């Protein structure tokens, strides 16, 4: 199901890349977003919904690894979490490229991200799709920025038939796209708060409130 969503999404990305733009100019001189661009963003949102459930974000994968380590350890030890302190990360830290052809703009962002990811010390090996999604969302956000820069920062246009101002598509879309980017950064340990949480996850210290409560119950009643 996820693969089908990705295929649908990338078909829109390819169409936008072939056209070379997301925004036309409307009759009032404002930005008019193409249908393909809107469809791409909706389809991207559908892919995002499935990543956590599939354990394909950094935070979700970290939680799965920590739970698996707990299940193979001694839950009845004096401190069930202590055994995780000495567990190191294994395998590749950087992700393989996502399972699609990156556009030129996406590839530039992908390359720019790699040294930042390498410096974090986290395991991003399962997050290729999620990070590819971040690159695509940033390209979308930059398209808004570039249109506005090319049009001298225009935020409002005047409707010729009514004389009333309305917000142009590029300006209207920027905060929506930024919100999606922030969500994806959070899910992949790439905000300050999410980074701190991921460090705790890597030690098995924060899994969920329910599991911590259960482990504390076991610790209080070892018999």
């Amino acid at each position: 199901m996820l693969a089908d969503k990705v295929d649908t999404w990338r078909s829109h990305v390819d169409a936008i890349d072939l056209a070379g733009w997301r925004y036309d100019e409307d009759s009032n001189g404002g930005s008019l977003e193409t249908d393909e661009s809107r469809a791409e963003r909706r389809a991207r949102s559908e892919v995002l919904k499935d990543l956590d459930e599939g354990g394909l974000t950094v935070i979700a994968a970290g939680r799965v690894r920590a739970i698996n380590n707990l299940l193979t350890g001694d839950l009845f030890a004096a401190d069930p979490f202590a055994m995780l302190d000495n567990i190191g990360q294994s395998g590749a830290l950087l992700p393989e490229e996502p399972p699609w052809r990156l556009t030129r703009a996406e590839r530039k962002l992908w390359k720019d991200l790699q040294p930042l990811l390498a410096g974090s010390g986290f395991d991003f090996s399962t997050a290729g799709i999620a990070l590819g999604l971040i690159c695509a969302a940033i390209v979308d956000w930059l398209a808004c920025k570039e249109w506005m820069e090319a049009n001298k920062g225009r935020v409002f246009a005047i409707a010729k038939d009514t004389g009333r101002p309305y917000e142009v598509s590029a300006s209207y879309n920027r905060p929506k796209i930024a919100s999606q980017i922030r969500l994806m950064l959070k899910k992949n340990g790439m905000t300050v708060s999410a980074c701190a949480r991921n460090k705790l996850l890597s030690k098995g210290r924060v899994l969920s409130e329910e599991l911590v409560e259960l482990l504390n119950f076991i610790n209080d009643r070892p018999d």
Side-chain angles (χ1 to χ4, degrees), residues 15-116:
I16 294 167
D17 191 45
L18 182 63
W21 66 82
R22 285 180 176 271
Y23 295 95
D24 294 313
E25 186 175 298
D26 66 20
S27 60
N28 304 308
S31 60
L32 180 65
E33 187 176 18
T34 64
D35 287 343
E36 201 79 52
S37 178
R38 285 192 292 268
E40 185 274 330
R41 195 174 305 117
R42 288 195 303 269
R44 188 198 317 149
S45 179
E46 284 299 311
V47 176
L48 177 60
K49 289 178 182 177
D50 284 359
L51 293 184
D52 266 345
E53 291 298 323
L56 294 173
T57 63
V58 173
I59 298 294
R63 186 176 291 115
V64 171
R65 282 193 293 270
I67 291 174
N68 182 64
N69 288 332
L70 280 172
L71 291 176
T72 56
D74 184 4
L75 289 178
F76 295 94
D79 182 356
F81 287 124
M83 63 183 173
L84 296 174
D85 286 339
N86 297 320
I87 295 176
Q89 293 175 326
S90 59
L93 293 176
L94 295 180
E96 295 184 5
E97 289 194 356
W100 58 75
R101 181 188 65 83
L102 291 164
T103 66
R104 181 180 298 178
E106 288 172 339
R107 182 166 296 281
K108 181 182 183 304
L109 287 164
W110 181 272
K111 289 182 177 178
D112 289 344
L113 274 176
Q114 298 309 301
L116 303 177

Side-chain angles (χ1 to χ4, degrees), residues 150-197:
N151 288 270
K152 300 179 180 179
R154 177 176 294 183
V155 175
F156 293 96
I158 305 298
K160 294 177 181 178
D161 53 345
T162 64
R164 297 181 62 181
Y166 64 92
E167 189 173 11
V168 299
S169 296
S171 174
Y172 177 76
N173 284 334
R174 282 186 76 188
K176 293 192 299 182
I177 303 165
S179 178
Q180 191 178 71
I181 293 171
R182 283 194 297 271
L183 176 62
M184 287 189 283
L185 293 177
K186 178 181 177 182
K187 288 178 178 292
N188 288 284
M190 297 168 70
T191 65
V192 173
S193 175
C195 177
R197 183 175 181 84

